[in-house]
Amino acid sequence: MDFRLKVFYTVAKRLSFTKAATELFITQPAISKHVNELEEQYKIKLFERNGSRISLTTAGEVLLKHSAGIFDIYREIDFDMSALINERSGVLRIGASTTISQYIIPPILARFHQKMENIKINLLNGNTDQIESALLSKEIEIGIVEGASKNKSIKYTPFLKDELVLVCRSSNPFASKEEVTQEDLKQMNFLIREQGSGTLEVIEHALKPFQLKLADLNIEMELGGTESIKSYLLNSDCVAFISIYAIEKELKNNEFAILDVKNLSIERYFYIISLQGKKDSLSDLFIKTLATYYNLPLY
């Protein structure tokens, strides 16, 4: 592998010579030297420099695209060659939206690592939009998200069924009601996830038959993660729609109560996402581990 190409790729992804130097454990002058050599080799500028800020030129964009493909091939070579001697190794970059990364896949990652100690996993956490963007820009090989936006460049495979339930703390006055009505919903103070969250997308769709929009609800606060919402709920009389997987401990400890909303059931699937037409041995191996753990017919 041409180390200069690795240097260029790192600078291009971080858009920072300093960050690239830190990541690659070399000096910033060495980073500049490798990039300059590539520019001399191709006789064209790869970066526009504006003070301390840099951006890719058209040539830089082209080289970045090819570099990503080259590193994908190297990863495949490392995996396939190591498999021949019964030593699977390599790096698998996974993206997972917040609920999944916190409550669903940690035990699977542990099991995968026990079986494949030589495979290093890098986990990127973000909302569904961020994970899809990371996949499209080839920052990750595979993602697991809470919603399916149906981007034509992405393959969506249903993974695990989830249910979103309306939750409040056990001392909330609404917790004593056997059933919550549409009018009750309008009286509640809601906590919601940030824009781009797969959870928010599913809730908006589920409320449509009620002729309700999120804008019709009393939104007390928008928070960037399920743990933040749970903590806020425990200290207020707000309510929130949360994955059933995220509140198992609180339900067991009688800290939360589920509110039964009349004629409302919010079910969804978590989706495994990958690029259309893209095969990756490490990703396939991880998906098979997911299928085995949850006894799912993914293959």
Side-chain angles (χ1 to χ4, degrees):
M1 182 189 301
D2 188 338
F3 186 68
R4 296 177 304 172
L5 201 58
K6 185 174 183 180
V7 169
F8 162 77
Y9 180 82
T10 308
V11 174
K13 297 303 291 184
R14 301 290 175 262
L15 289 179
S16 168
F17 282 70
T18 303
K19 291 179 181 177
T22 301
E23 186 170 328
L24 296 173
F25 301 104
I26 60 176
T27 64
Q28 191 168 328
I31 293 283
S32 299
K33 176 176 178 293
H34 288 303
V35 171
N36 289 337
E37 287 178 357
L38 279 177
E39 290 181 327
E40 290 174 8
Q41 177 182 335
Y42 294 118
K43 296 180 174 57
I44 194 168
K45 289 179 64 177
L46 300 173
F47 295 100
E48 293 289 353
R49 297 163 175 83
N50 183 12
S52 61
R53 303 178 66 180
I54 62 171
S55 59
L56 284 165
T57 63
T58 301
E61 295 279 3
V62 171
L63 187 57
L64 176 60
K65 178 182 176 182
H66 288 301
S67 299
I70 289 170
F71 292 134
D72 282 344
I73 292 171
Y74 271 115
R75 289 181 58 260
E76 286 287 299
I77 292 172
D78 288 342
F79 177 82
D80 290 338
M81 295 304 289
S82 63
L84 292 174
I85 56 173
N86 298 317
E87 291 182 7
R88 287 174 167 171
S89 65
V91 177
L92 175 61
R93 300 172 301 174
I94 301 172
S97 50
T98 308
T99 299
I100 295 160
S101 65
Q102 288 180 324
Y103 311 106
I104 304 297
I105 65 170
I108 301 168
L109 293 176
R111 174 175 289 195
F112 187 80
H113 179 69
Q114 288 168 1
K115 292 183 177 181
M116 307 291 174
E117 292 184 0
N118 292 327
I119 296 176
K120 180 182 179 183
I121 293 182
N122 293 336
L123 178 63
L124 173 68
N125 180 30
N127 63 36
T128 296
D129 283 354
Q130 291 167 337
I131 298 305
E132 289 190 354
S133 295
L135 180 68
L136 292 170
S137 62
K138 296 186 177 181
E139 295 174 27
I140 57 175
E141 283 75 50
I142 184 175
I144 310 176
V145 297
E146 301 165 23
S149 64
K150 301 305 179 186
N151 185 304
K152 292 182 180 179
S153 299
I154 296 176
K155 177 184 177 183
Y156 297 86
T157 304
F159 160 46
L160 191 66
K161 183 176 282 189
D162 180 34
E163 182 181 5
L164 291 174
V165 291
L166 188 61
V167 178
C168 66
R169 65 178 178 179
S170 298
S171 59
N172 188 305
F174 281 105
S176 60
K177 294 197 67 170
E178 288 188 10
E179 194 173 58
V180 170
T181 66
Q182 181 177 333
E183 289 305 311
D184 288 330
L185 292 178
K186 295 179 180 179
Q187 303 303 316
M188 297 173 175
N189 291 329
F190 281 80
L191 304 176
I192 63 170
R193 289 283 304 278
E194 79 287 355
Q195 294 297 320
S197 164
T199 299
L200 201 60
E201 177 186 343
V202 172
I203 294 169
E204 288 177 317
H205 181 75
L207 290 175
K208 283 183 179 179
F210 287 74
Q211 280 75 52
L212 278 177
K213 298 179 181 179
L214 284 176
D216 298 325
L217 303 177
N218 299 317
I219 308 298
E220 179 160 322
M221 194 166 296
E222 178 182 306
L223 295 168
T226 304
E227 284 298 309
S228 299
I229 289 176
K230 286 165 58 177
S231 181
Y232 196 112
L233 285 178
L234 289 171
N235 292 279
S236 74
D237 279 331
C238 290
V239 299
F241 286 104
I242 301 179
S243 165
I244 192 70
Y245 286 103
I247 57 171
E248 290 179 353
K249 183 181 71 174
E250 287 80 9
L251 289 175
K252 185 178 180 180
N253 294 336
N254 199 33
E255 295 175 298
F256 282 161
I258 294 177
L259 302 176
D260 184 14
V261 183
K262 185 178 182 180
N263 298 325
L264 180 65
S265 175
I266 309 180
E267 293 185 340
R268 63 174 177 180
Y269 273 96
F270 296 135
Y271 290 87
I272 296 170
I273 60 172
S274 56
L275 292 176
Q276 289 283 9
K278 177 71 174 173
K279 294 293 291 181
D280 182 277
S281 301
L282 286 183
S283 297
D284 288 347
L285 188 62
F286 184 75
I287 291 172
K288 287 174 182 175
T289 303
L290 287 174
T292 301
Y293 187 88
Y294 283 106
N295 194 26
L296 300 171
L298 289 174
Y299 283 93

